[in-house]
Amino acid sequence: MAEYLFHEGRNYKSYEYFGSFLDKDCCTFRVWAPNAKRVYVTGEFCNWEAKKYEAKKITEAGIYECEIKGVKKFDCYKYVFETADGRIIYKSDPYARHFETRPGTSSKVYNISEYEWSDKDWMKEREVPYNKAMNIYELHLGSWKLKDDGSFYSYLELAEDLVNYVKKMNYTHIEILPIMEHPYDKSWGYQVTGYFAPTSRYGLPEEFMHFVDECHKNNIGVILDWVPGHFPKDESGLCEFDGGYVYEYSDSRKMEHKEWGTRVFDYSRNEVLSFLISNAVYWIEKYHIDGLRVDAVSSMLYLDYGRKKGEWIPNEDGGNYNLEAIKFFRDLNVYIKENFSGAMMIAEESSSWPKVTADVEYGGLGFNFKWNMGWMNDSLDYLSTDPFFRKGVHDKMTFSLTYAFSENYILPLSHDEVVHGKKSILDKADVEFENKFSNMRAFIAYMFAHPGKKLTFMGCDISQVIEWDESKELDWMLLDYPLHEKNHRFIKELNKVYLNNSTLWENDTSWSGFKWNTVDDSKNNVLAFTRKDKKGNELLLVSNFSSQHLKKYKIGVDKKQKYSILMNTDAKKYGGNGFVNRNLRSVKEKWNNFDYTLKLNIPPFSTMYLVKK
């Protein structure tokens, strides 16, 4: 039955059948190699003699099986394929659970043990946080921190140091750049060769399970970046796996992403669908992962993505949509929703594709959340503009509200925005150095009140000055400097304010949770809006992105009431000037189509949260 479902594209737990399975000293190997003339298994157990153990073909569609005695746990192995034209090819196992550490590329014989999880309550209570707080700390495990000798922190060490830090800083989730096995550090994990193996750079599979377990025991969700859109051409990997086209498209007009130098999965092939959906299921089931952020969704949806005229082939309807990839996403997301309560599927989708987060039954792709790339690009363009000229790009801070409720959005300030000459978040503002901190605080506080869940990349929390470099740890010594230490305190306290105030997250997907108070004051670079929770509690945001101290500035509001300031990014404890507003109350005076007016003194480059007193 496993073979039949695999060939039908419906074996969503194919990892239980393919790979290596050790029973005492006898190991069973199974691999799919439809183009091979002959298949062998070689490894340390036979001193790498290529053709000592030949596998038997057990299905016409190319599944091979081989049983070998005298095999031990951790033995390195590879498959050897003899092609029809006489070539001999060595490949690692697509379903391997463990690999030798790069630069080695061999798979290792390894059974996933029955790890004793301690997160029963977390898993039972887990739910998709549509109406709850979600504040994600995105990070790269290999450069968050390094040891004094330059070596990596292990999964076990991260389970203590990283988990304690994330908890202390009041984040709700972490999102980890791909930890599936990959040979090239500078790919950041996005060029995967071992889809079923947590990289051995940081330890053993059970040690990664322990890391996830510790996150859950500390009420921290774990999201993994997942790359089903393409794979590298490394000699040991999936590229032309058995000498022919197996995992990739055979048509050159669909086969490659030339700008990335990678191959594209063939979403029309049933066995590839079984492989990919099984892989998503594997991380969620075996490692208790709470969500997968699916990388480069647009590259999968569009046949002409990154391709010039004449370099792509239309679909059967004559259009540029990859109908096979659409079906893959729908089948994947339906299965995850039906079988794994509370697990999230998150799309990094950069186009205006409709209904990414709508249910499949309503014509959607079925994702739970989508990254809001439009908001990210526009708001960072605004932040990077000289304050004097921000009045000319004011719409970049308001346009997002024309579509903010069309999807379930996450607002991302991701790793991609702090590399390749884009500058760090702190350094983006075109102002004097000391004012970069106040600009950043004002911007981040605005972001945290804007509808949508939140994601910031590591380094934002310490106001990293330079861009991210995957070969170095973050500049933690910056926290010895007052401006950075105070900004660090600001991030920690803002995270807490966000977590404790349902106005900031309960109505993220509806106009019922949002109202503009000041939308068009481009002259003063001012924005003001109200967030509301389901009980009617309100929070008023006021942001001043100019260098001017605005005195007795008028904000239109709905009712007569007294206000207190919940958070002020200009507070002295955060490194601001400490300007104070006292006796804040609205009065009966029409302003901006409101019946009441609140007058405020608004410091330059600042954001305030106001609530009913």
Side-chain angles (χ1 to χ4, degrees):
M1 181 60 74
E3 299 99 324
Y4 172 78
L5 291 175
F6 177 72
H7 292 311
E8 287 287 306
R10 293 186 290 115
N11 186 340
Y12 296 160
K13 294 189 178 182
S14 57
Y15 50 84
E16 295 179 347
Y17 182 77
F18 289 97
S20 65
F21 300 89
L22 185 63
D23 183 9
K24 297 181 180 178
D25 71 336
C26 183
C27 192
T28 301
F29 299 86
R30 296 191 192 93
V31 65
W32 174 55
N35 302 302
K37 181 180 178 181
R38 289 187 176 86
V39 176
Y40 305 89
V41 183
T42 188
E44 293 179 320
F45 41 80
C46 62
N47 293 316
W48 294 100
E49 185 178 333
K51 296 185 178 182
K52 183 171 183 178
Y53 296 110
E54 183 172 357
K56 178 182 178 182
K57 190 175 184 179
I58 60 175
T59 71
E60 286 299 315
I63 296 177
Y64 289 80
E65 181 178 272
C66 185
E67 290 187 2
I68 304 174
K69 291 186 177 181
V71 177
K72 305 184 301 297
K73 182 179 181 180
F74 295 119
D75 275 354
C76 289
Y77 71 97
K78 282 190 176 183
Y79 293 112
V80 181
F81 301 118
E82 182 180 335
T83 68
D85 59 4
R87 289 177 293 145
I88 300 296
I89 298 172
Y90 287 74
K91 291 285 185 176
S92 56
D93 188 343
Y95 284 87
R97 279 72 164 172
H98 190 43
F99 278 77
E100 62 177 338
T101 305
R102 52 90 177 98
T105 58
S106 294
S107 307
K108 286 193 171 187
V109 173
Y110 197 92
N111 290 351
I112 297 294
S113 67
E114 292 301 320
Y115 176 81
E116 293 186 13
W117 289 90
S118 304
D119 62 351
K120 182 178 179 181
D121 290 341
W122 170 274
M123 298 298 288
K124 181 180 179 180
E125 296 172 6
R126 183 180 70 180
E127 58 183 284
V128 178
Y130 295 119
N131 302 312
K132 291 188 174 182
M134 183 159 68
N135 181 11
I136 304 166
Y137 186 61
E138 186 193 31
L139 74 148
H140 176 252
L141 292 185
S143 57
W144 179 69
K145 280 186 179 180
L146 296 175
K147 297 179 183 178
D148 291 340
D149 63 359
S151 62
F152 296 127
Y153 274 60
S154 69
Y155 292 127
L156 296 179
E157 291 164 333
L158 289 164
E160 183 174 347
D161 288 23
L162 175 60
V163 170
N164 287 340
Y165 178 78
V166 171
K167 183 177 182 179
K168 180 184 75 173
M169 291 297 291
N170 301 309
Y171 294 100
T172 65
H173 293 71
I174 59 170
E175 180 176 318
I176 308 172
L177 271 61
I179 54 94
M180 300 79 182
E181 195 58 78
H182 55 282
Y184 187 46
D185 288 4
K186 289 185 178 297
S187 77
W188 309 337
Y190 288 96
Q191 296 197 4
V192 180
T193 52
Y195 274 81
F196 289 84
T199 178
S200 59
R201 287 169 174 80
Y202 316 122
L204 297 173
E206 285 83 7
E207 292 170 347
F208 181 64
M209 291 178 180
H210 173 75
F211 170 79
V212 175
D213 206 7
E214 287 299 306
C215 286
H216 288 171
K217 286 194 286 186
N218 286 276
N219 294 315
I220 299 166
V222 181
I223 301 165
L224 292 186
D225 275 15
W226 184 53
V227 192
H230 60 110
F231 56 88
K233 298 180 186 178
D234 291 66
E235 185 178 6
S236 65
L238 299 179
C239 183
E240 298 179 25
F241 181 64
D242 59 4
Y245 303 121
V246 179
Y247 287 91
E248 66 267 77
Y249 283 110
S250 59
D251 191 319
S252 62
R253 294 166 294 180
K254 299 171 75 174
M255 181 192 299
E256 289 197 24
H257 284 308
K258 292 182 180 179
E259 60 183 314
W260 298 335
T262 54
R263 291 285 171 90
V264 179
F265 281 105
D266 183 351
Y267 308 106
S268 70
R269 195 159 195 172
N270 287 340
E271 294 88 351
V272 174
L273 297 177
S274 288
F275 173 83
L276 287 173
I277 295 180
S278 292
N279 188 236
V281 170
Y282 175 77
W283 291 104
I284 294 170
E285 179 181 71
K286 295 298 184 182
Y287 287 89
H288 290 202
I289 296 302
D290 302 298
L292 296 175
R293 175 267 198 186
V294 184
D295 181 61
V297 169
S298 297
S299 74
M300 302 167 67
L301 291 174
Y302 295 97
L303 293 167
D304 59 348
Y305 185 93
R307 298 180 177 91
K308 299 176 183 177
K309 186 176 181 180
E311 294 181 345
W312 62 280
I313 181 172
N315 62 33
E316 61 191 39
D317 300 322
N320 67 337
Y321 293 173
N322 189 329
L323 303 179
E324 299 147 0
I326 294 169
K327 184 179 185 302
F328 160 69
F329 281 134
R330 288 172 171 166
D331 290 347
L332 165 68
N333 291 332
V334 166
Y335 187 82
I336 296 300
K337 284 183 179 179
E338 289 180 349
N339 290 276
F340 299 98
S341 177
M344 295 179 284
M345 298 299 294
I346 302 167
E348 187 228 358
E349 203 286 305
S350 57
S351 76
S352 57
W353 188 282
K355 297 185 177 180
V356 172
T357 58
D359 287 338
V360 170
E361 60 191 285
Y362 299 115
L365 294 181
F367 285 94
N368 302 104
F369 293 100
K370 171 183 173 175
W371 275 21
N372 193 334
M373 311 290 274
W375 170 87
M376 177 194 72
N377 289 322
D378 283 350
S379 61
L380 290 180
D381 280 350
Y382 182 88
L383 179 63
S384 302
T385 300
D386 185 307
F388 181 79
F389 295 107
R390 284 175 177 170
K391 56 181 175 289
V393 292
H394 188 78
D395 61 310
K396 289 184 179 291
M397 295 291 272
T398 60
F399 181 70
S400 59
L401 267 299
T402 66
Y403 60 85
F405 310 120
S406 62
E407 303 276 7
N408 301 324
Y409 280 120
I410 294 173
L411 308 183
L413 296 180
S414 77
H415 63 280
D416 279 326
E417 305 316 307
V418 293
V419 290
H420 304 323
K422 295 180 182 178
K423 300 183 178 181
S424 67
I425 299 299
L426 174 73
D427 199 31
K428 288 182 187 291
D430 188 12
V431 294
E432 295 295 325
F433 183 74
E434 290 76 9
N435 287 331
K436 289 181 180 291
F437 293 85
S438 55
N439 266 266
M440 178 180 166
R441 289 194 302 272
F443 177 77
I444 298 295
Y446 146 81
M447 168 192 177
F448 271 56
H450 187 290
K453 309 308 179 185
K454 321 303 175 191
L455 179 146
T456 52
F457 185 57
M458 66 179 198
C460 184
D461 47 320
I462 63 171
S463 307
Q464 183 90 1
V465 178
I466 62 174
E467 292 183 345
W468 172 52
D469 182 343
E470 81 289 332
S471 67
K472 302 175 182 177
E473 71 170 3
L474 295 179
D475 292 331
W476 293 99
M477 81 306 188
L478 291 173
L479 295 180
D480 294 333
Y481 296 88
L483 285 173
H484 291 271
E485 188 279 326
K486 290 178 179 179
N487 251 30
H488 188 243
R489 177 179 180 178
F490 160 74
I491 294 293
K492 177 182 178 181
E493 294 188 5
L494 175 65
N495 289 347
K496 188 72 170 180
V497 166
Y498 170 77
L499 191 62
N500 289 340
N501 286 271
S502 56
T503 51
L504 295 173
W505 41 258
E506 196 170 50
N507 278 331
D508 268 336
T509 59
S510 168
W511 279 105
S512 64
F514 181 92
K515 179 187 291 186
W516 280 114
N517 297 78
T518 302
V519 65
D520 56 1
D521 189 4
S522 58
K523 178 181 177 181
N524 289 303
N525 298 353
V526 171
L527 297 166
F529 56 75
T530 299
R531 295 298 310 277
K532 183 184 294 187
D533 67 14
K534 292 183 177 181
K535 292 182 179 180
N537 299 309
E538 295 183 350
L539 180 148
L540 174 64
L541 169 138
V542 180
S543 291
N544 174 14
F545 289 104
S546 79
S547 60
Q548 305 303 307
H549 187 178
L550 304 175
K551 298 181 179 180
K552 296 184 178 180
Y553 186 90
K554 293 183 178 181
I555 306 285
V557 295
D558 281 326
K559 62 189 76 169
K560 182 178 181 180
Q561 67 179 40
K562 294 180 180 179
Y563 291 86
S564 62
I565 294 179
L566 178 64
M567 169 156 276
N568 179 9
T569 65
D570 186 60
K572 282 189 175 182
K573 63 180 178 177
Y574 304 140
N577 293 305
F579 291 116
V580 177
N581 281 276
R582 293 185 173 87
N583 299 319
L584 291 173
R585 65 180 70 198
S586 55
V587 297
K588 182 73 173 179
E589 178 184 345
K590 288 186 177 294
W591 188 259
N592 274 357
N593 296 316
F594 288 89
D595 290 331
Y596 295 87
T597 299
L598 173 66
K599 292 181 181 179
L600 282 171
N601 293 324
I602 315 176
F605 305 134
S606 70
T607 290
M608 288 184 282
Y609 293 170
L610 294 87
V611 294
K612 181 179 179 181
K613 190 171 182 178

